Amino acid sequence: MATPKKEYYRKPLPSSCIDFASTEGKNIFKEALNEGTMDCFFILSSQFRTQDEPAYCGLSTLVMVLNALSVDPGKVWKAPWRWYHESMLDCCVPLEVAKKEGITLFHFSCLAMCNGLDVDMVQALPTATVVEFRDVVKRVTQCESQVLVCSYSREVLGQMGDGHFSPIGGYHSGRDLVLIFDVARFKYPPHWVTVDVLWRAMKGLIVDLGQ
């Protein structure tokens, strides 16, 4: 008799994360909004989606970004509408490969560029610092014309799984927290984590994957 496969209905957030919808999460949002570091939140929240496949975190994150920045794909999604969907992102890696294995940071950058975005890809290498990363977070979360996407290790955050992509939806300077729009909404809700923890998670992925 075959062993039944495990099934899950979401997972509880670890102590390193603060649920966006919790009382504390809402208060953080209000304070960050007053600080002026939630400008990117509204364009992203308008396009927040759940990834269509378990390994589509990179593609779904990019779809969010493209639609949030009002990029016209130049081709029809569902007639008569032109709109980005994961199935349209096939210029750098075959969709069947992405569906099975996911994509790397290099694939993500390639896909973003071939769909008309200007990309500044920065790796969390030993020469990079959390101070530099924090400066980028502060700058990007105060505008609506740019989006910050992070590739990081879930394991470092104490979450289920490992390599993951998420757009950053805001920043709270007083508590040094970033808002992660997790496109695997079947697994975790949007949540706040500290910049230091996210930075370690980004560096952890570099070590694990050698990229």
Side-chain angles (χ1 to χ4, degrees):
M1 183 176 178
T3 303
K5 293 184 178 180
K6 286 186 177 181
E7 296 180 356
Y8 301 96
Y9 177 75
R10 310 190 81 176
K11 298 290 289 183
L13 283 168
S15 59
S16 63
C17 307
I18 301 169
D19 191 335
F20 177 65
S22 67
T23 299
E24 184 180 8
K26 292 175 185 176
N27 288 333
I28 294 168
F29 172 74
K30 293 175 186 176
E31 293 169 3
L33 194 61
N34 289 331
E35 292 175 356
T37 49
M38 295 297 297
D39 286 359
C40 63
F41 171 83
F42 298 98
I43 59 169
L44 285 170
S45 62
S46 297
Q47 304 302 331
F48 195 19
R49 61 180 287 110
T50 301
Q51 61 191 70
D52 283 353
E53 298 287 344
Y56 266 13
C57 59
L59 296 188
S60 297
T61 292
L62 184 53
V63 165
M64 264 187 74
V65 172
L66 289 163
N67 288 329
L69 294 176
S70 300
V71 179
D72 186 340
K75 52 186 175 181
V76 173
W77 163 60
K78 302 286 184 181
W81 303 105
R82 298 194 303 273
W83 196 247
Y84 271 103
H85 183 266
E86 288 91 337
S87 61
M88 300 161 71
L89 302 178
D90 59 355
C91 59
C92 298
V93 58
L95 279 173
E96 284 305 310
V97 173
K99 183 177 180 179
K100 182 179 179 181
E101 303 175 4
I103 61 174
T104 67
L105 182 60
F106 298 99
H107 290 147
F108 186 94
S109 297
C110 176
L111 284 162
M113 287 187 287
C114 77
N115 282 281
L117 293 180
D118 293 325
V119 177
D120 183 11
M121 188 183 79
V122 179
Q123 293 178 274
L125 298 173
T127 53
T129 69
V130 68
V131 173
E132 294 170 329
F133 176 56
R134 185 178 290 107
D135 287 342
V136 172
V137 169
K138 290 178 180 178
R139 173 173 54 81
V140 176
T141 53
Q142 293 182 73
C143 72
E144 297 181 348
S145 59
Q146 295 179 316
V147 174
L148 175 61
V149 171
C150 292
S151 176
Y152 58 96
S153 167
R154 281 194 184 278
E155 187 176 6
V156 175
L157 299 185
Q159 298 178 353
M160 180 182 183
D162 199 4
H164 194 56
F165 285 89
S166 288
I168 301 303
Y171 175 65
H172 186 292
S173 62
R175 296 180 59 176
D176 201 31
L177 294 165
V178 290
L179 176 62
I180 291 180
F181 271 125
D182 197 328
V183 292
R185 295 195 289 182
F186 49 83
K187 187 182 289 188
Y188 296 108
H191 48 276
W192 298 94
V193 299
T194 66
V195 168
D196 283 336
V197 168
L198 180 56
W199 178 249
R200 290 201 302 272
M202 291 163 62
K203 292 183 76 69
L205 190 62
I206 292 290
V207 171
D208 287 347
L209 300 182
Q211 57 177 287

